[in-house]
Amino acid sequence: MRKVSLMRLSRLVALFATFIFYQPANAQDNILTWEEYYQQILAYHPVVVNANINLDLAGQELRFARGFFDPMLIGDYKQKQFTEKDYYRLLTTKVSVPLWIGELEAGYYQNEGEFLNPENLLPRNGQSFVGVSIPLAQGLLIDERRSTLRQARYLTDIAEAERLSMINKLLLSATKDYWNWYFAYQRYRFVQEAYRLAEIRYEAVKLSVITGDQAPIDSVEAKISLQNRDIELQQSAIELKNARLIASNHLWGEGETPLEILETTLPDDFDLARWSANLPQAEALVAQAEEQHPDLRKIIFKNRQLDVERSLQVNKLAPKINLQYHLLSEPQAVSGDQYGWSTQNYMLGLKVAFPLFLRQERGKLQLVRLKQVQLEQENLQTRREIINTVLAQYNLLNNIAELIGLQESMVNNYQQLLRGEQLRFENGESSIFLINVRETQLLDSQVKLVKLHSDYGKARAELNQAVGLVDWDY
């Protein structure tokens, strides 16, 4: 009677241990969700900081380009003394204000001396002037200053696209590492429970051998099973530790402080319904990629820069014709301290220059056109690759979702097989070997299921990268 009770006890212990194998993780554990992981990366990661700095650099380039339109105060003074003779003293002060077309100037001349050049002879009180300098051909529609400013404006758009591209690549890498950590943790948890189960069964089998209910060889088989589980546990433990370290690479705190994921911190559970709830249709994703993908936007803005450069080079095929007109006035009292101006007092200048062969101008224009052809070809290929990648990742994601459903069904079936084998063992119709086989099959199926969970998370990240999503917080 005692032998039967002990035998039944050992089998019940083994059956109870099997049910322990399927208990969920402690709800009190510290969970690091993907959303928290994502927000921490965007807040402090050095790559994100550098990406934002690149945007600031482009802003400074734009400020530099705007500087070509800054007003300038100019002073020029020359004096010559020789053999105790006062040859001349020439003073010019003026303010030059660059306009969108040409320049506006206002200033004052003061010239004195015994040997002044006749063209420098001025009234005793000097001479004030105000006037404009306007290009009539080359430089009328566009010039170097306007070209630089327009291209600098597009440079900020290119920098923004590059910033998004850098962040998307970072998030793709970080998301893959997060799901590798998730898979390593889930596999470790399953192997750990399997080891505990093997340990409990081994103790139960030893008890049965002592009571004479089972042959000693059964304890050897249970011991081998325990040793295999121990090896798997140690391997999965080191893989979990390494996966946790790699996932920690992306976490930074304030003051450039690197953060490390603690052993007590666990990845979030996988929820297919939550991860697939806001997934648009393939056509919408393709349209979104064509509209906002950073690589395509960079090409668009680079092409606009080349359009500006082409306009400049076309304009340089025209001759240089610059008109300068200054109204002149002698600082004399007209009414109080007023100055007198007359349209009959002026200085007019016209300067014309034109290269005979235009080899530089035609060469630069052709270079710009060829670059635009290259950029158009790059745009065609990049667009095609992006569209096909989006469709491929979308198909892969849906396929993984279907596989997850099938694998969940398989896990349930293996659980039923194991329970049935346990009942047969309790009735003396099975063996430790068959139970180990069922447990191994169940363990493998559960590991495959969490691997599919991990693959789904990675595939979703690949899809986000392919679409060029600005915000991954879905």
Side-chain angles (χ1 to χ4, degrees), residues 32-38 175 178-179 268 275 472-474:
L32 176 61
T33 66
W34 184 88
E35 289 80 4
E36 294 170 343
Y37 186 71
Y38 162 84
T175 304
Y178 180 90
W179 287 109
D268 199 3
W275 280 79
W472 284 32
D473 192 10
Y474 43 82

Side-chain angles (χ1 to χ4, degrees), residues 27 69 93 126 132 146 168 210 264 302 338 393 422 431 472:
F69 291 87
T93 58
V132 293
R146 283 174 278 175
N168 282 345
I210 292 173
T264 56
K302 285 181 179 179
Q338 304 269 340
Q393 290 300 324
Q422 285 285 358
S431 64
W472 284 32

Side-chain angles (χ1 to χ4, degrees), residues 410-444:
M410 289 182 64
V411 170
N412 292 332
N413 291 335
Y414 278 123
Q415 286 176 342
Q416 294 179 14
L417 285 176
L418 180 57
R419 291 190 182 101
E421 202 66 47
Q422 285 285 358
L423 292 175
R424 292 182 60 197
F425 178 79
E426 184 182 358
N427 295 327
E429 299 175 357
S430 184
S431 64
I432 293 295
F433 173 77
L434 291 177
I435 291 178
N436 287 337
V437 170
R438 298 302 186 195
E439 287 176 353
T440 301
Q441 291 174 338
L442 176 58
L443 176 62
D444 291 342

